[in-house]
Amino acid sequence: MPHPATLTSNGPTIAEVDLNAFQENVRTLKGFIENSRFMAVIKTNAYGHGVVPVGRAAVRAGADCLGVTMVEEGAQLRASGIDVPIHILSSIMSWQAADAVAYDLTSSVSSLDLTNALSREAVRQEKNHPVHLKIDTGLHRFGIQPEEAIEFCRDVYDLPGLDWEGIYTHFSSADEGKWVRTEEQFALFMETIAKLNAHGYDFPIRHAGASTITIERKDMHLDMVRPGVALFGYPPEHRQENMISLKPVMSLKSRLLHVHELPPNTPVGYGGSYVTSDNEKIAVVPIGHGDGYHRALSNNGEMLVGGRRAPIIGEVSLDQTLIDVTAVPDVRAGDEVVLMGNQEADSISARDVSDWMGSIVDEVLAGLKERVERIYK
Ligand SMILES: *Cc1c(COP(=O)(O)O)cnc(C)c1O
């Protein structure tokens, strides 16, 4: 007998992505800007939500352009028919210049090698390739040092095939609310632009701010803002929760694979790090650190079953996590489990999960592996 070409059923663990909530978040964030452009940053597979469906939704909701960090993501978006500007917010290898030009992406430049390669490719492909000069004001990841900006422009500004459309920087400590440091970086950025302008090097679109700046600092919006994580329903920091009302976009759900009762003093899971103190009902949830459900949640975190909180017990393993469902009436295999999202009157947010892990929302959302099926609403 030949095997069937496709499966006839799906597994129980799914991530629901609410594109209406996403679009509402785009509109809410756009309400914070006045005359600036709006880049929807959808890098890292749209923080785990799926770069193509989210990219389409962003454009429909009024984003002027999209931001990614990989040429591959830009190519995927182009292949799906998206025609707004797509910025690569990272340096890339020089050998990727041909693809960046061919897919009409907008490149970040801060090295001679890459800038030369982009110019050569643009000429070869008979295109005018848009570039944004990246200035390093203190994050020290990549970018031209402010004192070297003029010399750099002297070398590359007149290269053929390049359109010097913009200039930008990325702050190191805005989320942490270190405003003195951020204001110093902003001042350095503005000073660098003024010097470049004085030498005849112009950059029409100046931009610096991500989610935090979009929400908290209108004075730093300049010509464009670049929010990322906030689009997905979470301002970067707790303090911003009463400054803006956003809707979580992703819910993470599964079903109980198995429920059993254990007597008191039974070690549970790898290493027996949890020991029952009474007769306890233990359930198996088919998700683990192989799905991006972090080991830091071992004996530390909760899920919702039957509208009640069920604590995670024992070590999170590659494919399974155990929870204590003793307090859930009539619990049985097949019951819905909510790991993020609403169930009856209660809800668990990606922020709760990140707090349990001692991490940030970005890691919880973007860390969810591809094998967890995304269902779009
Ligand atoms: C990731 C990133 C953003 C978006 O940051 P959020 O804090 O998620 O809003 C903006 N700009 C650059 C350069 C980035 O790398």
PDB file of all heavy atoms in Angstrom, residues 28 68 105 115 134 160 181 187 199 209 247 254 270 297 309 317 324 330 370:
ATOM      1  N   THR A  28      -3.183  51.588  16.247  1.00  0.00           N
ATOM      2  CA  THR A  28      -2.962  52.231  17.551  1.00  0.00           C
ATOM      3  C   THR A  28      -1.597  52.906  17.581  1.00  0.00           C
ATOM      4  O   THR A  28      -1.456  54.061  18.007  1.00  0.00           O
ATOM      5  CB  THR A  28      -3.049  51.187  18.687  1.00  0.00           C
ATOM      6  OG1 THR A  28      -4.334  50.580  18.629  1.00  0.00           O
ATOM      7  CG2 THR A  28      -2.847  51.826  20.053  1.00  0.00           C
ATOM      8  N   VAL A  68      13.081  43.919   7.975  1.00  0.00           N
ATOM      9  CA  VAL A  68      13.490  42.544   8.289  1.00  0.00           C
ATOM     10  C   VAL A  68      15.005  42.583   8.563  1.00  0.00           C
ATOM     11  O   VAL A  68      15.619  43.643   8.480  1.00  0.00           O
ATOM     12  CB  VAL A  68      13.183  41.569   7.123  1.00  0.00           C
ATOM     13  CG1 VAL A  68      11.682  41.461   6.894  1.00  0.00           C
ATOM     14  CG2 VAL A  68      13.877  42.006   5.829  1.00  0.00           C
ATOM     15  N   LEU A 105      15.309  45.261  -2.398  1.00  0.00           N
ATOM     16  CA  LEU A 105      15.279  45.539  -0.966  1.00  0.00           C
ATOM     17  C   LEU A 105      15.997  46.869  -0.720  1.00  0.00           C
ATOM     18  O   LEU A 105      16.620  47.420  -1.636  1.00  0.00           O
ATOM     19  CB  LEU A 105      15.954  44.392  -0.206  1.00  0.00           C
ATOM     20  CG  LEU A 105      15.372  43.011  -0.541  1.00  0.00           C
ATOM     21  CD1 LEU A 105      16.115  41.911   0.216  1.00  0.00           C
ATOM     22  CD2 LEU A 105      13.869  42.944  -0.201  1.00  0.00           C
ATOM     23  N   THR A 115      29.069  48.339   0.577  1.00  0.00           N
ATOM     24  CA  THR A 115      28.589  49.474  -0.216  1.00  0.00           C
ATOM     25  C   THR A 115      29.090  49.365  -1.657  1.00  0.00           C
ATOM     26  O   THR A 115      28.335  49.580  -2.611  1.00  0.00           O
ATOM     27  CB  THR A 115      29.030  50.805   0.422  1.00  0.00           C
ATOM     28  OG1 THR A 115      28.783  50.742   1.833  1.00  0.00           O
ATOM     29  CG2 THR A 115      28.254  51.971  -0.154  1.00  0.00           C
ATOM     30  N   LYS A 134      23.995  53.528   8.253  1.00  0.00           N
ATOM     31  CA  LYS A 134      23.795  53.208   9.670  1.00  0.00           C
ATOM     32  C   LYS A 134      24.894  53.848  10.496  1.00  0.00           C
ATOM     33  O   LYS A 134      26.085  53.658  10.225  1.00  0.00           O
ATOM     34  CB  LYS A 134      23.824  51.682   9.838  1.00  0.00           C
ATOM     35  CG  LYS A 134      23.760  51.203  11.280  1.00  0.00           C
ATOM     36  CD  LYS A 134      22.335  51.215  11.801  1.00  0.00           C
ATOM     37  CE  LYS A 134      22.254  50.941  13.312  1.00  0.00           C
ATOM     38  NZ  LYS A 134      22.395  49.539  13.647  1.00  0.00           N
ATOM     39  N   PRO A 160      28.129  54.902  -8.376  1.00  0.00           N
ATOM     40  CA  PRO A 160      26.951  54.805  -9.242  1.00  0.00           C
ATOM     41  C   PRO A 160      25.958  53.750  -8.731  1.00  0.00           C
ATOM     42  O   PRO A 160      26.349  52.801  -8.055  1.00  0.00           O
ATOM     43  CB  PRO A 160      27.547  54.366 -10.587  1.00  0.00           C
ATOM     44  CG  PRO A 160      28.826  53.675 -10.236  1.00  0.00           C
ATOM     45  CD  PRO A 160      29.347  54.356  -8.997  1.00  0.00           C
ATOM     46  N   ARG A 181      21.308  58.474  28.636  1.00  0.00           N
ATOM     47  CA  ARG A 181      22.122  57.766  27.640  1.00  0.00           C
ATOM     48  C   ARG A 181      21.469  57.874  26.252  1.00  0.00           C
ATOM     49  O   ARG A 181      22.140  58.135  25.247  1.00  0.00           O
ATOM     50  CB  ARG A 181      22.217  56.295  28.109  1.00  0.00           C
ATOM     51  CG  ARG A 181      23.017  55.387  27.261  1.00  0.00           C
ATOM     52  CD  ARG A 181      24.203  54.749  27.999  1.00  0.00           C
ATOM     53  NE  ARG A 181      25.220  54.395  27.000  1.00  0.00           N
ATOM     54  CZ  ARG A 181      25.406  53.163  26.545  1.00  0.00           C
ATOM     55  NH1 ARG A 181      24.718  52.150  27.022  1.00  0.00           N
ATOM     56  NH2 ARG A 181      26.306  52.939  25.612  1.00  0.00           N
ATOM     57  N   ALA A 187      21.476  62.983  20.395  1.00  0.00           N
ATOM     58  CA  ALA A 187      22.195  64.235  20.100  1.00  0.00           C
ATOM     59  C   ALA A 187      23.392  63.965  19.182  1.00  0.00           C
ATOM     60  O   ALA A 187      23.653  64.706  18.234  1.00  0.00           O
ATOM     61  CB  ALA A 187      22.651  64.899  21.400  1.00  0.00           C
ATOM     62  N   HIS A 199      28.581  69.044   4.620  1.00  0.00           N
ATOM     63  CA  HIS A 199      29.518  68.633   3.566  1.00  0.00           C
ATOM     64  C   HIS A 199      28.793  68.243   2.281  1.00  0.00           C
ATOM     65  O   HIS A 199      29.413  67.681   1.370  1.00  0.00           O
ATOM     66  CB  HIS A 199      30.378  67.459   4.049  1.00  0.00           C
ATOM     67  CG  HIS A 199      31.494  67.881   4.950  1.00  0.00           C
ATOM     68  ND1 HIS A 199      31.298  68.255   6.269  1.00  0.00           N
ATOM     69  CD2 HIS A 199      32.826  68.028   4.720  1.00  0.00           C
ATOM     70  CE1 HIS A 199      32.447  68.583   6.811  1.00  0.00           C
ATOM     71  NE2 HIS A 199      33.394  68.465   5.891  1.00  0.00           N
ATOM     72  N   GLY A 209      13.944  55.533  16.184  1.00  0.00           N
ATOM     73  CA  GLY A 209      13.158  54.957  17.273  1.00  0.00           C
ATOM     74  C   GLY A 209      12.463  53.650  16.953  1.00  0.00           C
ATOM     75  O   GLY A 209      11.840  53.499  15.912  1.00  0.00           O
ATOM     76  N   LYS A 247      -3.220  44.745  21.714  1.00  0.00           N
ATOM     77  CA  LYS A 247      -3.844  43.418  21.844  1.00  0.00           C
ATOM     78  C   LYS A 247      -2.853  42.308  21.497  1.00  0.00           C
ATOM     79  O   LYS A 247      -2.284  42.326  20.396  1.00  0.00           O
ATOM     80  CB  LYS A 247      -5.020  43.312  20.868  1.00  0.00           C
ATOM     81  CG  LYS A 247      -6.146  44.235  21.221  1.00  0.00           C
ATOM     82  CD  LYS A 247      -7.386  43.861  20.448  1.00  0.00           C
ATOM     83  CE  LYS A 247      -8.589  44.533  21.071  1.00  0.00           C
ATOM     84  NZ  LYS A 247      -9.753  44.517  20.168  1.00  0.00           N
ATOM     85  N   SER A 254      -2.913  23.814  23.231  1.00  0.00           N
ATOM     86  CA  SER A 254      -2.703  22.393  22.974  1.00  0.00           C
ATOM     87  C   SER A 254      -3.840  21.601  23.619  1.00  0.00           C
ATOM     88  O   SER A 254      -4.867  22.184  23.995  1.00  0.00           O
ATOM     89  CB  SER A 254      -1.331  21.955  23.519  1.00  0.00           C
ATOM     90  OG  SER A 254      -1.040  20.654  23.076  1.00  0.00           O
ATOM     91  N   TYR A 270      12.097  13.912  34.349  1.00  0.00           N
ATOM     92  CA  TYR A 270      13.549  13.692  34.344  1.00  0.00           C
ATOM     93  C   TYR A 270      14.185  14.219  35.618  1.00  0.00           C
ATOM     94  O   TYR A 270      13.949  15.353  36.015  1.00  0.00           O
ATOM     95  CB  TYR A 270      14.202  14.408  33.157  1.00  0.00           C
ATOM     96  CG  TYR A 270      13.971  13.754  31.828  1.00  0.00           C
ATOM     97  CD1 TYR A 270      13.473  14.476  30.756  1.00  0.00           C
ATOM     98  CD2 TYR A 270      14.275  12.406  31.628  1.00  0.00           C
ATOM     99  CE1 TYR A 270      13.268  13.883  29.510  1.00  0.00           C
ATOM    100  CE2 TYR A 270      14.078  11.796  30.393  1.00  0.00           C
ATOM    101  CZ  TYR A 270      13.574  12.540  29.337  1.00  0.00           C
ATOM    102  OH  TYR A 270      13.378  11.962  28.129  1.00  0.00           O
ATOM    103  N   LEU A 297      11.129  27.096  32.224  1.00  0.00           N
ATOM    104  CA  LEU A 297       9.772  26.997  32.771  1.00  0.00           C
ATOM    105  C   LEU A 297       9.599  25.740  33.625  1.00  0.00           C
ATOM    106  O   LEU A 297       8.531  25.520  34.204  1.00  0.00           O
ATOM    107  CB  LEU A 297       8.752  27.010  31.625  1.00  0.00           C
ATOM    108  CG  LEU A 297       8.714  28.340  30.856  1.00  0.00           C
ATOM    109  CD1 LEU A 297       8.066  28.171  29.491  1.00  0.00           C
ATOM    110  CD2 LEU A 297       7.969  29.400  31.672  1.00  0.00           C
ATOM    111  N   ARG A 309      -5.795  27.459  36.802  1.00  0.00           N
ATOM    112  CA  ARG A 309      -4.339  27.481  36.612  1.00  0.00           C
ATOM    113  C   ARG A 309      -3.754  26.124  37.005  1.00  0.00           C
ATOM    114  O   ARG A 309      -3.973  25.657  38.118  1.00  0.00           O
ATOM    115  CB  ARG A 309      -3.722  28.565  37.474  1.00  0.00           C
ATOM    116  CG  ARG A 309      -4.221  29.944  37.056  1.00  0.00           C
ATOM    117  CD  ARG A 309      -3.102  30.920  36.937  1.00  0.00           C
ATOM    118  NE  ARG A 309      -3.576  32.056  36.138  1.00  0.00           N
ATOM    119  CZ  ARG A 309      -2.762  32.911  35.541  1.00  0.00           C
ATOM    120  NH1 ARG A 309      -1.458  32.759  35.628  1.00  0.00           N
ATOM    121  NH2 ARG A 309      -3.248  33.903  34.833  1.00  0.00           N
ATOM    122  N   SER A 317      10.674  18.802  28.991  1.00  0.00           N
ATOM    123  CA  SER A 317      11.554  17.996  28.137  1.00  0.00           C
ATOM    124  C   SER A 317      11.427  18.441  26.693  1.00  0.00           C
ATOM    125  O   SER A 317      10.740  19.421  26.392  1.00  0.00           O
ATOM    126  CB  SER A 317      11.289  16.506  28.341  1.00  0.00           C
ATOM    127  OG  SER A 317       9.965  16.183  28.016  1.00  0.00           O
ATOM    128  N   ASP A 324       0.232  19.916  36.842  1.00  0.00           N
ATOM    129  CA  ASP A 324      -0.567  19.380  37.944  1.00  0.00           C
ATOM    130  C   ASP A 324      -2.014  19.841  37.757  1.00  0.00           C
ATOM    131  O   ASP A 324      -2.296  21.037  37.855  1.00  0.00           O
ATOM    132  CB  ASP A 324       0.014  19.905  39.267  1.00  0.00           C
ATOM    133  CG  ASP A 324      -0.818  19.472  40.463  1.00  0.00           C
ATOM    134  OD1 ASP A 324      -1.846  18.781  40.275  1.00  0.00           O
ATOM    135  OD2 ASP A 324      -0.430  19.837  41.591  1.00  0.00           O
ATOM    136  N   ASP A 330     -13.264  17.144  36.721  1.00  0.00           N
ATOM    137  CA  ASP A 330     -13.593  16.350  35.521  1.00  0.00           C
ATOM    138  C   ASP A 330     -12.543  16.426  34.421  1.00  0.00           C
ATOM    139  O   ASP A 330     -12.865  16.376  33.237  1.00  0.00           O
ATOM    140  CB  ASP A 330     -14.932  16.813  34.906  1.00  0.00           C
ATOM    141  CG  ASP A 330     -16.079  16.681  35.877  1.00  0.00           C
ATOM    142  OD1 ASP A 330     -16.057  15.708  36.661  1.00  0.00           O
ATOM    143  OD2 ASP A 330     -16.955  17.568  35.889  1.00  0.00           O
ATOM    144  N   GLU A 370       9.150  26.568  14.184  1.00  0.00           N
ATOM    145  CA  GLU A 370       8.282  26.440  13.007  1.00  0.00           C
ATOM    146  C   GLU A 370       7.342  25.243  13.111  1.00  0.00           C
ATOM    147  O   GLU A 370       6.278  25.229  12.519  1.00  0.00           O
ATOM    148  CB  GLU A 370       9.136  26.264  11.742  1.00  0.00           C
ATOM    149  CG  GLU A 370      10.093  27.407  11.495  1.00  0.00           C
ATOM    150  CD  GLU A 370       9.680  28.306  10.344  1.00  0.00           C
ATOM    151  OE1 GLU A 370       9.157  27.770   9.346  1.00  0.00           O
ATOM    152  OE2 GLU A 370       9.886  29.526  10.461  1.00  0.00           O
TER     153      GLU A 370
END
